[in-house]
Amino acid sequence: MRPVIVHRPRLLEKLDAGLYRSLTLISAPAGFGKTTLAAEWLKHISLKNQHAGIEINRSWLSIDEQDNDSTRFLEYFITTIRNCSQPDLDLGSTALNMIQSSQQIPHETILTSLINDITSNNMKMVVVLDDYHMIDSRTVDQILSFWINNAPPQVHLVILTREDPQLPIARLRAKDQLTELRATDLRLTNMESDRFLNIVMELKLESEQISKLEQRTEGWIAGLQMAGLYIRECSNVDHFIEKFSGTNRYILDYLLEEVLAGQSPEIQRFLLHTSVLRKLSAPLCDAVLENKTNKINLSNHEIQPTSIFDYLDKANLFLVALGDDRIWYRYHYLFADLLKARLHKTFSKNEISNLHKRAANWHEQNGSIYEAIHHASLTSDNEWVERLIEQNYMDILQRSDSRSVRYFGAELSRELVFKRPLLCVYEAMGRSWIGALDDADFYLSRAEEGIERADKSPETAAIKGHIAYIRSRITAMRGDYKQAEALCLYAKEHTPSDDYALVVAIGVMLGYVYFLDGDFANASETLKETINLGVNNGAINSTVGAYCVLARLHTIRGELHKAYDLYQEAYEYLTAIEGFPKGTVSILETGKAEILYEWNDLEVARTHLDRGIKSMMYWSKTDDIVLAYTTLAKVQQAESDLSGALETMDDASRLVEANGVFSESRTVANSIRANLLLKQGSSTSKTIEYDPESSDTLDFENELVSITKAKYLLSHDEVHRCLDLLARLEGNAETNKRKGRLVQIYILKALAMKQAGDSKQAYFALAKSLSLAEPEGYLRVYLDEGQPLKELLSDWEAESSASSLHDYARRILAEFENQNVTSTTKLPTHQTPISLIEPLSPRETEVLQQIATGKTNQEIARHLYVSPGTIKAHTSSIYRKLEVANRTESVARARELQILS
């Protein structure tokens, strides 16, 4: 808001009275002060409610033409709600993750998640949508209609628009859920016109002159402002006012001409030339105007370019500052439209194209690639547009938040994309990333059509290689790994060796295809080579992706510590890079959480998960969102929140059903959901039924679901069929050295043998499981089997002869007891005195006890079957809670508080 405005208490009162309704609609033509009034009202209700002890959270979304993309609109709307809320509430995170992952999830589902989040909190908020007339999308109207019909009562929506939107206005009006302000309400009264002209614009007009101007403009603020600007330089004010007449548009056109004529040639040139810019800064304007002297003449005074914005602002020439630092600005949209109209009347197409060319050059040199593409696309230089995208796309894909690829072509017309094969390829890449496989196929087909028409050259061969890479992604998602492998190898052969961004991306895809096909030897070798190449050549996102796939491979091999170390190595590599893409962190955080969950370090796992899922919006890859949800569901189940876990898996299942995904995330999601249903006592899930006559091979792709089927058979007393299935699974897993899966298989075999009455074989299978699990510290795989496994383990420990596995078995049994106490009492096993402000968690108390014995972090980690990094994190938390600086002080303080004896 400007420091001096026309206060309008009559309108503020009307807006106040409508705060309890669902919607406020401020609809009037351009220049009637809609935005200024809404801004003043937000400030007014904030101060008013503060005095009453009520906090009103406020947020503002300015809409432009690109928001007709329903995905973009929904993303921005949800983010606006989140910005409006208290950060610790994290409202709408699930909804935002859903919209980031795909455009195919029903809008109603996404909004319902957001509404449920808000309903569970009591805070009041006002959300303003400005310039809604820019929306010409029936889908966006439907999104907002659903919101209005279902929004919680504590959220008040304000829409500012030049024309009535396609929303249920009549029904809201009939239900008294609508407050309306129209042009007749917004017109300045004679008194308001007096204040605007004489106080805001600092004119010295007589009341009769003001009255005539108010009548001529019908209280139209923009008309009054234009008139006031002309009057400043006018020698005969009365004469001007007498001839001042006509419709609003003609008044504005006339006044624009007159206002420009009253400015110096330098200012006229500045206004017209910079009207091509969506945002203005001094260096950018200098480049567009080719101001070689770096000076602009204003009223015979030479000033630096930065000062021109002060001049324009003080002269009320419709300049809006973008931020308190006042570095970037824009013109009032109405004023910009008029300047551009005048520009096109005054200058030739070639001259205007040159302005865009200078702007594009400046943005390209300063790293503003999207703005560079926008201006380059307005020069009719298609080759330049393609070069900008070609030179920057893979870099953005590798070094920026990957969701950026989804909007890369937003500045380009569909026709231009179709004309340029490489643009079609990049558009296909963005679609394949989020799992929109049919769309990706469509753009690849258009790219191939374009290549067929082009001359044969190394460039077209390279494009074919890129197409093969994208097709390998699509083909792998559809389950044909051999064909995907062949496409990857073709892509690798036809991609220039110095195109590191694409070469590394191909390497990740090839390694992942081997992984999905169960060929761990080739997968491991390929991924290690890819990591080395990526680290040395700055292919950040693909390098971290390769780390994560390799870590998951080691997890399946039963090498949890190697997996965790890989996540940590990748994290250190990533965070050492200045300005690293924060979306990439998400897959490392959720990967660590998976390992920490297995080590039963639920508190730290939950911390990593929360951070990972929160930043997943910047990664926006459906597969990784699903994998994150499966880990979250397992943690929720371990925390005795079975209903919450099932809700999380419902979200994951919807993502899987709505998108193309790789088999890994699909099978993990199906398996986890089926396990949760078994714990709930459900026996209706088709995903876990077993057909012994099925000809399905028990390969790696369906191994996890088959293990879950074995659980299903065991729970339904079909022991022999269960053992038959487990025998087949055991053979495959042993042959392919998938020790992580063997741990699970042996546990189920032990339970099945016990149920069949063969305790000897049950103990033998259990011992085999323990021998594989002990070096890596597996816990949850045993704890999640519940009481039957606890009893079997207790019997084995009591009856077996002493061995190195006994300590491990007792450790698992202790975790069972700790879990029972925690779930029953919901209190830490070791109660801390009230004098400790923030109590130690059970795990922290356990670590503290080990510290008191003098063990090192590495020794404690081995004893508790967690990583040294986890112990370090616990130790830091202990120091903070006890307000001490080292181990010695922590033990002394704990004994003082009687935490330790």
Side-chain angles (χ1 to χ4, degrees):
M1 291 175 57
R2 294 178 179 277
V4 182
I5 63 169
V6 178
H7 293 290
R8 314 186 76 180
R10 62 185 177 90
L11 299 181
L12 297 181
E13 289 178 8
K14 190 169 183 178
L15 291 171
D16 283 349
L19 188 57
Y20 73 91
R21 300 186 177 103
S22 301
L23 174 66
T24 290
L25 177 66
I26 305 179
S27 179
F32 271 90
K34 301 182 291 294
T35 298
T36 301
L37 174 63
E40 182 187 7
W41 182 57
L42 289 184
K43 182 177 181 181
H44 164 75
I45 60 171
S46 178
L47 293 173
K48 180 178 177 181
N49 284 278
Q50 278 179 11
H51 291 312
I54 302 171
E55 183 178 0
I56 300 287
N57 297 276
R58 301 155 292 158
S59 198
W60 190 291
L61 174 60
S62 295
I63 292 171
D64 59 34
E65 289 181 352
Q66 293 182 11
D67 293 320
N68 280 290
D69 181 319
S70 59
T71 300
R72 176 185 167 117
F73 175 83
L74 198 51
E75 179 180 356
Y76 281 15
F77 183 74
I78 293 169
T79 303
T80 299
I81 297 288
R82 284 169 61 80
N83 291 345
C84 188
S85 65
Q86 299 168 11
D88 59 319
L89 295 178
D90 198 24
L91 296 187
S93 58
T94 300
L96 193 55
N97 283 330
M98 291 167 71
I99 189 61
Q100 298 286 1
S101 67
S102 170
Q103 300 179 21
Q104 300 180 30
I105 300 176
H107 300 136
E108 294 82 358
T109 302
I110 298 169
L111 286 174
T112 298
S113 173
L114 176 63
I115 290 166
N116 290 339
D117 280 358
I118 296 172
T119 302
S120 63
N121 294 278
N122 294 321
M123 68 173 170
K124 300 180 182 298
M125 61 177 74
V126 176
V127 180
V128 179
L129 303 184
D130 197 3
D131 292 323
Y132 193 78
H133 55 271
M134 304 294 287
I135 295 298
D136 186 26
S137 165
R138 182 59 185 154
T139 303
V140 173
D141 288 334
Q142 290 170 345
I143 289 171
L144 207 56
S145 295
F146 180 86
W147 172 264
I148 292 170
N149 290 334
N150 298 279
Q154 65 262 43
V155 181
H156 184 75
L157 183 66
V158 181
I159 294 179
L160 313 182
T161 179
R162 296 182 188 177
E163 57 189 38
D164 281 6
Q166 299 298 310
L167 300 173
I169 292 174
R171 182 165 52 79
L172 290 169
R173 187 184 294 128
K175 296 172 64 176
D176 192 30
Q177 287 298 310
L178 176 68
T179 298
E180 297 176 84
L181 291 181
R182 303 285 177 173
T184 53
D185 301 297
L186 297 175
R187 288 189 176 113
L188 295 181
T189 64
N190 192 265
M191 185 181 299
E192 290 168 340
S193 298
D194 189 335
R195 177 174 174 80
F196 178 73
L197 293 168
N198 283 340
I199 296 180
V200 176
M201 299 200 69
E202 299 179 337
L203 302 174
K204 297 179 180 179
L205 299 180
E206 301 294 336
S207 59
E208 184 177 349
Q209 293 173 319
I210 291 171
S211 181
K212 287 182 178 179
L213 281 174
E214 189 267 323
Q215 291 173 12
R216 296 279 198 275
T217 61
E218 297 181 356
W220 182 42
I221 300 172
L224 281 171
Q225 184 174 1
M226 284 293 195
L229 290 171
Y230 180 73
I231 288 171
R232 281 180 175 171
E233 309 297 330
C234 182
S235 58
N236 191 335
V237 176
D238 286 331
H239 176 71
F240 167 74
I241 292 174
E242 287 299 327
K243 71 174 184 177
F244 183 50
S245 63
T247 66
N248 288 348
R249 180 68 195 191
Y250 290 127
I251 291 172
L252 201 57
D253 286 343
Y254 169 75
L255 286 176
L256 175 64
E257 185 174 344
E258 294 297 321
V259 168
L260 283 176
Q263 302 298 323
S264 68
E266 289 90 347
I267 292 298
Q268 289 188 46
R269 176 171 172 265
F270 182 92
L271 292 171
L272 289 176
H273 285 201
T274 58
S275 68
V276 301
L277 302 173
R278 298 192 289 196
K279 296 195 303 181
L280 298 81
S281 71
L284 173 58
C285 292
D286 195 53
V288 171
L289 272 70
E290 294 186 313
N291 246 335
K292 295 182 175 61
T293 63
N294 255 4
K295 293 182 179 180
I296 295 175
N297 189 292
L298 293 175
S299 303
N300 299 320
H301 294 286
E302 293 208 342
I303 65 172
Q304 294 300 320
T306 50
S307 300
I308 194 171
F309 296 117
D310 294 332
Y311 170 82
L312 296 175
D313 194 31
K314 291 174 182 177
N316 282 316
L317 281 173
F318 300 94
L319 192 70
V320 179
L322 301 175
D324 293 335
D325 54 10
R326 306 185 81 79
I327 295 174
W328 287 94
Y329 297 81
R330 68 167 173 83
Y331 290 122
H332 185 286
Y333 295 129
L334 178 63
F335 190 59
D337 289 345
L338 291 162
L339 286 174
K340 281 184 276 190
R342 178 62 181 267
L343 179 73
H344 283 275
K345 288 180 181 178
T346 309
F347 294 93
S348 67
K349 288 184 178 179
N350 186 55
E351 289 172 316
I352 296 170
S353 178
N354 284 334
L355 295 175
H356 284 292
K357 182 178 180 180
R358 293 172 204 153
N361 276 323
W362 187 90
H363 280 296
E364 182 180 7
Q365 293 167 11
N366 286 274
S368 309
I369 300 304
Y370 292 107
E371 287 297 318
I373 292 171
H374 165 72
H375 287 289
S377 69
L378 295 173
T379 66
S380 300
D381 188 345
N382 290 346
E383 288 76 14
W384 188 15
V385 175
E386 183 176 89
R387 178 180 63 77
L388 280 171
I389 295 180
E390 179 180 359
Q391 290 180 349
N392 293 284
Y393 183 89
M394 292 306 294
D395 186 62
I396 286 180
L397 186 68
Q398 291 288 12
R399 302 184 64 86
S400 303
D401 291 325
S402 58
R403 70 170 178 170
S404 302
V405 303
R406 297 174 58 192
Y407 300 125
F408 207 90
E411 300 293 348
L412 309 179
S413 68
R414 195 178 176 93
E415 291 73 21
L416 176 58
V417 172
F418 287 160
K419 288 178 182 177
R420 318 298 296 184
L422 200 54
L423 299 186
C424 288
V425 169
Y426 291 148
E427 192 66 25
M429 180 62 209
R431 303 304 174 103
S432 72
W433 183 262
I434 62 173
L437 304 187
D438 291 341
D439 289 348
D441 275 335
F442 171 75
Y443 280 101
L444 288 181
S445 296
R446 296 302 294 257
E448 288 169 333
E449 291 172 9
I451 290 174
E452 290 302 317
R453 295 192 297 268
D455 295 332
K456 299 292 186 284
S457 68
E459 289 75 18
T460 56
I463 295 176
K464 287 183 177 180
H466 204 146
I467 290 173
Y469 159 65
I470 299 171
R471 284 211 185 279
S472 72
R473 293 179 57 86
I474 298 169
T475 304
M477 285 188 193
R478 288 172 173 156
D480 189 345
Y481 305 130
K482 297 303 181 186
Q483 178 63 16
E485 176 188 336
L487 286 165
C488 272
L489 293 173
Y490 177 92
K492 187 176 181 180
E493 181 183 350
H494 290 82
T495 298
S497 59
D498 59 352
D499 187 355
Y500 296 111
L502 184 53
V503 169
V504 175
I506 293 169
V508 179
M509 191 66 247
L510 181 59
Y512 193 38
V513 169
Y514 287 138
F515 170 89
L516 294 172
D517 201 27
D519 185 354
F520 281 15
N522 275 322
S524 180
E525 182 181 353
T526 302
L527 291 168
K528 287 176 182 177
E529 291 176 356
T530 300
I531 289 169
N532 290 332
L533 186 64
V535 167
N536 292 329
N537 293 282
I540 300 172
N541 286 335
S542 289
T543 301
V544 173
Y547 267 116
C548 290
V549 176
L550 187 58
R552 297 203 296 270
L553 184 153
H554 281 294
T555 301
I556 294 167
R557 278 181 167 171
E559 299 164 341
L560 301 185
H561 288 94
K562 278 188 179 180
Y564 190 89
D565 289 345
L566 279 169
Y567 286 126
Q568 187 59 32
E569 183 181 322
Y571 184 84
E572 291 169 1
Y573 155 74
L574 178 65
T575 53
I577 299 168
E578 184 177 356
F580 65 87
K582 54 188 174 183
T584 314
V585 178
S586 64
I587 55 176
L588 297 176
E589 295 282 15
T590 54
K592 284 182 179 180
E594 173 73 17
I595 307 297
L596 290 163
Y597 165 78
E598 184 53 54
W599 287 334
N600 201 32
D601 202 341
L602 301 182
E603 184 179 351
V604 179
R606 170 69 87 155
T607 300
H608 283 287
L609 265 178
D610 289 344
R611 288 202 297 255
I613 290 175
K614 189 173 293 185
S615 58
M616 191 68 75
M617 68 181 74
Y618 301 104
W619 185 247
S620 74
K621 188 167 175 283
T622 305
D623 294 87
D624 293 310
I625 296 172
V626 171
L627 291 175
Y629 281 179
T630 59
T631 304
L632 175 60
K634 290 195 291 186
V635 171
Q636 289 171 318
Q637 174 263 320
E639 294 172 338
S640 301
D641 182 10
L642 184 57
S643 61
L646 282 167
E647 287 178 9
T648 298
M649 288 314 303
D650 285 343
D651 290 338
S653 297
R654 281 192 288 269
L655 289 175
V656 170
E657 291 167 6
N659 303 278
V661 294
F662 294 104
S663 60
E664 180 189 18
S665 60
R666 183 185 303 108
T667 55
V668 171
N670 287 341
S671 175
I672 299 303
R673 189 171 187 277
N675 273 295
L676 292 173
L677 290 171
L678 284 174
K679 287 183 179 296
Q680 191 187 46
S682 171
S683 61
T684 59
S685 175
K686 292 183 179 179
T687 62
I688 51 179
E689 291 176 356
Y690 174 60
D691 179 7
E693 305 301 325
S694 172
S695 60
D696 291 345
T697 57
L698 297 183
D699 54 18
F700 173 66
E701 182 177 2
N702 56 34
E703 184 175 65
L704 197 58
V705 172
S706 296
I707 291 173
T708 308
K709 289 179 179 179
K711 291 185 181 182
Y712 172 83
L713 294 171
L714 188 61
S715 68
H716 286 72
D717 296 323
E718 299 191 42
V719 177
H720 296 295
R721 294 172 68 189
C722 172
L723 288 170
D724 175 65
L725 177 57
L726 288 172
R728 296 166 63 194
L729 289 168
E730 180 183 347
N732 283 340
E734 281 183 339
T735 300
N736 294 285
K737 300 179 181 179
R738 294 194 285 268
K739 295 180 181 178
R741 297 285 170 81
L742 278 171
V743 170
Q744 298 173 275
I745 292 167
Y746 288 146
I747 289 172
L748 290 177
K749 185 176 181 180
L751 290 170
M753 287 296 184
K754 179 68 174 178
Q755 193 166 324
D758 191 342
S759 295
K760 182 179 179 180
Q761 287 300 317
Y763 293 158
F764 181 70
L766 182 60
K768 290 182 73 173
S769 169
L770 292 170
S771 65
L772 292 176
E774 188 271 339
E776 300 296 331
Y778 280 86
L779 289 173
R780 286 304 327 175
V781 70
Y782 295 98
L783 299 175
D784 288 344
E785 294 303 324
Q787 190 65 24
L789 195 283
K790 178 186 176 184
E791 292 174 358
L792 177 61
L793 186 62
S794 180
D795 293 343
W796 175 86
E797 195 273 333
E799 295 186 18
S800 299
S801 58
S803 74
S804 60
L805 296 178
H806 274 236
D807 286 343
Y808 182 45
R810 284 192 287 269
R811 167 67 177 157
I812 298 171
L813 290 169
E815 289 290 337
F816 267 115
E817 294 301 326
N818 182 50
Q819 178 175 264
N820 291 338
V821 171
T822 302
S823 63
T824 302
T825 65
K826 301 298 181 182
L827 292 172
T829 52
H830 300 277
Q831 292 301 299
T832 56
I834 297 175
S835 57
L836 192 60
I837 295 173
E838 186 180 354
L840 301 182
S841 70
R843 178 69 76 173
E844 288 166 351
T845 304
E846 198 170 11
V847 170
L848 183 58
Q849 289 171 335
Q850 295 298 316
I851 290 174
T853 66
K855 290 181 179 176
T856 65
N857 282 359
Q858 288 76 14
E859 290 171 336
I860 298 172
R862 284 196 295 270
H863 180 76
L864 298 181
Y865 300 100
V866 298
S867 73
T870 298
I871 298 302
K872 185 177 180 181
H874 282 311
T875 304
S876 297
S877 179
I878 290 168
Y879 292 171
R880 177 180 57 79
K881 292 180 179 181
L882 295 179
E883 298 179 334
V884 296
N886 55 48
R887 285 169 156 248
T888 303
E889 291 179 6
S890 69
V891 173
R893 176 67 171 155
R895 285 175 177 154
E896 178 187 338
L897 295 171
Q898 299 179 358
I899 299 172
L900 295 176
S901 58

